[in-house]
Amino acid sequence: MAIHWLKSRFNAEVVTVTVNVGQEDDFSEIENRAYKLGVLKHYTIDARDDFANGPIASAIMLNALYEDKYPLGTALARPLIAEKVIEVARREGCDAIAHGSTSKGNDQVRFEEAIKAMAPDLTVIAPARIWGMDRKTEVEYARRNNIPIPEVHSRFSIDDNLWTRSIEGPELDDSMVEPPEDAFKWTINPSKVNESLKLEIEFKNGVPVAVNGEKMKLSELILALNRLVGSHGYGRVDHVENRVVGFKSREVYEAPAALTLIEAHRDLEKLIYTPIEYRFKRLMDQTWTDLIYQGLWHEPLRIELEEAAKAMNKWVTGVVKVTVRGGLMITGRSSPYASYSKEIADYVKGWYPSDEEARGFISMWTLHSLTAYRVRWGSGVS
């Protein structure tokens, strides 16, 4: 419909672009519909490996879970989609870029931030913000102008890619309503899982490279885990999210691979990093994640945090054992760079400080706190 509207409103010659970041769409049908609506040219761009090896790899290294829940699937994809669209716009000599976001969503910020950064000379047009039509009016407009409307097989609005499947719909807007089972596609109901799935995930420099000894490129590894882990009932997210545009929204996602890989990666970091590194890294992770969600891909700190994360992740190499059955449990981990020492930690044969060493350590360790405590409340306060 936006194609017809752009041609009518601006007398525009329209070039359309579909960027494949792993969504389950019929790309041939999309192209055919575009040409039937009179576009000058249509591009379908396969960016799945770019998506996996770029934004997703960074999200794994930085344990990206917005508000401890959302693995950022849509937010990660938008800047890459904008980049690919800009490349086509330059090739075709376009003077404007149009996107389909409304004024109520986060994606308008993500798309337009990227366009302003990479192509500030191009005009941005957001038809759905301008025309002010609701869904009913849009359908009437389409019928009035003989625009074919794709057959809808679900009452839910779905946005999916390699990393997450986002589920929206009117019945989910009530934060107390349990999502119906037909909303889910990647995951089965945890109550129906009868046996456990055991996995060994191998990481190299912070990025997963193999599952159960089988080496795979990252995009294939993610697809494999979405299928395996989702079939064992793990990977659903249901939470209330603080949007960029000023209100809370109830969001439902499926992300079996994302949740598994982030949990495994974070566990491996804990094995390897010093306590100071680990706690500082958590601050980095949260800051980077907030920047991505908020549509600030070209904020310099995002780039700087990624460089720091790559430097820290050069030690994050090893294997994590995972058991999945409705939930996920880490059951083992190893790394050539582990700071963990069985010889020290062993309670039977391990290292023990002498009584004198222990007393000295306790005295020095508690001195700051106890001095302040006594000055403020005296030794008689419990």
Side-chain angles (χ1 to χ4, degrees):
M1 189 167 67
I3 294 170
H4 182 279
W5 184 87
L6 288 165
K7 292 174 68 176
S8 300
R9 177 76 176 264
F10 298 103
N11 193 30
E13 291 185 316
V14 180
V15 175
T16 49
V17 184
T18 300
V19 181
N20 179 2
V21 286
Q23 66 269 38
E24 297 176 354
D25 286 337
D26 185 335
F27 297 105
S28 296
E29 175 60 22
I30 291 171
E31 181 176 358
N32 290 336
R33 277 174 28 215
Y35 280 118
K36 284 178 182 178
L37 289 167
V39 302
L40 186 67
K41 192 179 291 187
H42 178 83
Y43 286 80
T44 300
I45 299 171
D46 188 346
R48 287 173 293 182
D49 286 333
D50 289 344
F51 185 37
N53 298 329
I56 289 178
S58 293
I60 296 169
M61 286 191 282
L62 283 143
N63 304 308
L65 292 175
Y66 179 66
E67 297 183 337
D68 300 319
K69 289 284 188 178
Y70 169 41
L72 294 182
T74 303
L76 287 167
R78 293 323 192 207
L80 177 62
I81 293 170
E83 178 184 330
K84 300 300 183 183
V85 170
I86 290 168
E87 289 174 2
V88 172
R90 296 301 193 201
R91 190 179 311 149
E92 294 295 329
C94 300
D95 56 12
I97 290 178
H99 64 76
S101 301
T102 69
S103 59
K104 204 169 183 178
N106 296 320
D107 285 338
Q108 59 180 331
V109 179
R110 296 163 183 159
F111 279 131
E112 294 188 31
E113 187 269 3
I115 296 167
K116 286 176 180 294
M118 294 184 283
D121 56 306
L122 297 180
T123 300
V124 176
I125 303 170
R129 285 200 315 231
I130 300 170
W131 64 40
M133 291 185 276
D134 58 21
R135 179 59 181 164
K136 181 181 178 181
T137 312
E138 288 174 351
V139 171
E140 291 172 355
Y141 178 94
R143 288 174 176 163
R144 189 166 62 249
N145 291 282
N146 297 316
I147 301 170
I149 302 173
E151 185 178 351
V152 177
H153 300 283
S154 171
R155 64 187 186 277
F156 302 104
S157 174
I158 305 298
D159 187 286
D160 60 332
N161 58 42
L162 283 173
W163 203 226
T164 62
R165 182 173 181 266
S166 304
I167 308 162
E168 294 182 341
E171 64 192 276
L172 298 178
D173 290 339
D174 185 337
S175 63
M176 281 294 287
V177 172
E178 183 177 350
E181 276 305 305
D182 63 336
F184 300 103
K185 184 176 181 180
W186 290 3
T187 56
I188 71 166
N189 191 309
S191 66
K192 296 183 178 179
V193 179
N194 297 317
E195 57 184 34
S196 298
L197 170 70
K198 294 186 181 296
L199 301 170
E200 289 193 2
I201 303 171
E202 181 181 347
F203 289 83
K204 183 176 181 181
N205 303 133
V207 177
V209 295
V211 175
N212 290 345
E214 183 180 351
K215 301 283 185 180
M216 288 178 270
K217 65 179 183 178
L218 185 53
S219 60
E220 293 173 347
L221 187 149
I222 292 165
L223 288 172
L225 284 182
N226 276 334
R227 183 180 67 256
L228 287 168
V229 175
S231 68
H232 284 76
Y234 180 68
R236 297 182 180 183
V237 175
D238 184 344
H239 79 128
V240 174
E241 191 169 289
N242 287 300
R243 284 195 177 187
V244 174
V245 291
F247 66 95
K248 295 179 185 292
S249 61
R250 192 272 187 90
E251 301 291 342
V252 178
Y253 303 102
E254 291 182 286
L259 295 177
T260 301
L261 291 172
I262 289 171
E263 183 67 19
H265 176 267
R266 187 161 45 193
D267 188 90
L268 194 57
E269 284 188 322
K270 194 182 293 185
L271 179 72
I272 293 164
Y273 291 157
T274 68
I276 294 172
E277 285 179 309
Y278 182 72
R279 282 156 178 75
F280 182 73
K281 179 64 167 38
R282 288 170 65 187
L283 296 175
M284 290 173 52
D285 295 348
Q286 181 176 333
T287 302
W288 187 88
T289 300
D290 286 347
L291 291 174
I292 303 308
Y293 184 86
Q294 293 162 2
L296 296 174
W297 184 262
H298 292 88
E299 159 63 44
L301 183 59
R302 190 274 302 177
I303 300 167
E304 292 155 357
L305 286 172
E306 284 183 21
E307 291 302 315
K310 287 176 183 176
M312 294 184 72
N313 271 271
K314 71 181 181 180
W315 309 115
V316 184
T317 292
V319 175
V320 179
K321 295 172 66 176
V322 173
T323 299
V324 184
R325 185 176 178 180
L328 181 143
M329 179 178 288
I330 306 293
T331 55
R333 72 288 288 162
S334 67
S335 170
Y337 303 114
S339 295
Y340 174 82
S341 169
K342 184 178 183 299
E343 287 69 29
I344 294 175
D346 193 315
Y347 271 83
V348 178
K349 300 178 181 178
W351 166 80
Y352 276 88
S354 67
D355 179 66
E356 183 180 358
E357 289 172 323
R359 287 177 182 276
F361 166 73
I362 294 167
S363 295
M364 297 298 291
W365 174 248
T366 60
L367 188 57
H368 274 302
S369 298
L370 295 183
T371 300
Y373 175 81
R374 290 171 183 139
V375 168
R376 296 175 191 182
W377 295 291
S379 58
V381 179
S382 61

